[in-house]
Structures are given as C-alpha cells and as structure tokens.
Amino acid sequence: MDTENAAAGRPGEDVDPAAEGRAAEVAVPSEAVGPGEAPAAAREVFGDRFDAAVRYTELLATAGVQRGLIGPREVPRLWDRHVLNCAVLAELLPDGTSLCDVGSGAGLPGIPVALARPDVSVTLLEPLLRRTTFLEEVVRELGLDNVTVLRGRAEEMVGKLAVDVVTARAVAPLERLAGWGMPLLRPHGQMLALKGDSAEQELADSRAGLAKLGAVEWSVISVGEGTLETSTRVVQVKAGESPGGVKAATRRAKAARAGRTASARNGERGRGGRRRTR
C-alpha cells in the first residue's frame, strides 16, 4: 500500500514543513534489501516501457524510502504488491482516456498505469510538496510525456479538472473517497478504487452515499487474473449525468461562469487599451 497516504487518511491533510524536512533526511539502512529482479509478468504488462518500470521501482526503493513515501519493509515486495498490483488497473481503461490519480503519494497507481498505457493521459493529483517534488522528478527521469503532476486537493479542482476516470489507492474509506473523486468525473465516467479484502464491505456500507453522489452502477471486480499470482480487487463506480451530485454540478457551473466572466473582462481590457484615431 501507499503507506504515507494511508497514514494521512485524507488527501490534502497539512503537515508541519519541519516534519517534511526531517522525513526527507531519512536514510536507507545499509543492509536494506532491494526490490529484486522483475517478475516475468512485468515484461508482459509494461511492454516497451519495461526498462522505465524497472527504474521506477528502483526509485521507490531508494528515494521513495528516503523521503518516507514507501516503508522500508515494503521494498522486497514492491513488484508484486505495489507496481504490478496497480499496473493491471490498465485493463479497465478505454483507449485514449483521461485519468486523475487522487492522493497519488508515491505515484501509485498513476505511474504504473501510465507506464502500461502510453495512450492514457494521467494527472497525478497530490497536495503535499514533498510528494509532488518526488513525482515530478520521477516523471522527468522516466520521460513520461503522458503524465502531469498537479499539486492540490481534489475538492479544490471541481470545475477546473474533469476526467474520464478517477483512481485512488489507500487514501480513505470508499464513501469519503467518492466525495472527493466523483465530482472530478465527466458525465458517465468511472471511479476505480483499489480496496483489497475490504472491498465488498466498504461497498455495502457506501451504496446510499454513492447514489447521492451521482453514481448509477457499482461493483467489485478483479483484474490481473492470469497475470498476477494474486489478482487486484477494485471497486468500480460508474457515474451518471451528474457526477458528484447536485453540489458538484453547482460548483462546476459556478466555476464555468467565473471563467466566462474573467474572459469577458480580459476582452474588455484589451479593447479599452486601443486608442481611437481620427
């Protein structure tokens, strides 16, 4: 799991800047075990970007641990439990779709998905500077031209960002996560939440809340069967015409009006700046 996001409990929760600095100084123990050789499935999943996936896993095992984004105990199981576990989410994505990974943390699942599917446009949405700095460095080093890193909270992006798919892993309970993620969807988009063994119970507890947020269909599905030893459990929530419900629709309309007003004012300034000649 993305240990830092799980500990935070909420995408966008503020932390002490001094604490961030201390976390960045954490050293990797000299006896630390590396991520090991990539499983055979990694070549199948990542194709031409296999080498980039290997490098990303190395970065998680080194800089990711040093900066407190990955727990040292997770390093030996990075491939199976984290990188490949997330990458198989790509099976659920239509061609050329746009995706926002909410509370991206160390880039899970967004970066593995972007590596597996170069045709998918991925936004890594993360509010904390320490994490976005790491993500920007990874994206630059791996040359991921289909990935954008955006610093901010999901609730701040309603009306500013609209995508076909929202993903999240180890961020928050399902209903709370849906409250942040569903408003970012375009009509008839979908939210994909990696939930493991808790998937069915969380879904059962969240049905009424999901309906209020504009969801019209939901289910628990498995991906990676036949590729991974243990398949990935995903809660798939499909939106209707108004993702996020009435409040989100109102906020989107307000943001659109504000944008039109700003454009009109800029246009008036431009016209007002011209001097009339006789």
Side-chain angles (χ1 to χ4, degrees), residues 81-122:
R81 190 172 178 179
H82 298 277
V83 177
L84 285 171
N85 177 270
C86 290
V88 294
L89 202 63
E91 296 176 13
L92 302 176
L93 305 179
D95 292 343
T97 199
S98 60
L99 178 151
C100 178
D101 185 22
V102 172
S104 191
L108 300 166
I111 289 179
V113 169
L115 286 165
R117 289 288 300 276
D119 63 301
V120 173
S121 176
V122 175

Side-chain angles (χ1 to χ4, degrees), residues 151-180:
R151 186 181 177 196
R153 294 185 174 93
E155 55 265 42
E156 298 170 342
M157 299 297 157
V158 180
K160 302 176 184 178
L161 177 67
V163 294
D164 303 311
V165 179
V166 165
T167 59
R169 181 177 190 247
V171 171
L174 181 61
E175 188 169 343
R176 195 190 315 166
L177 172 62
W180 297 328

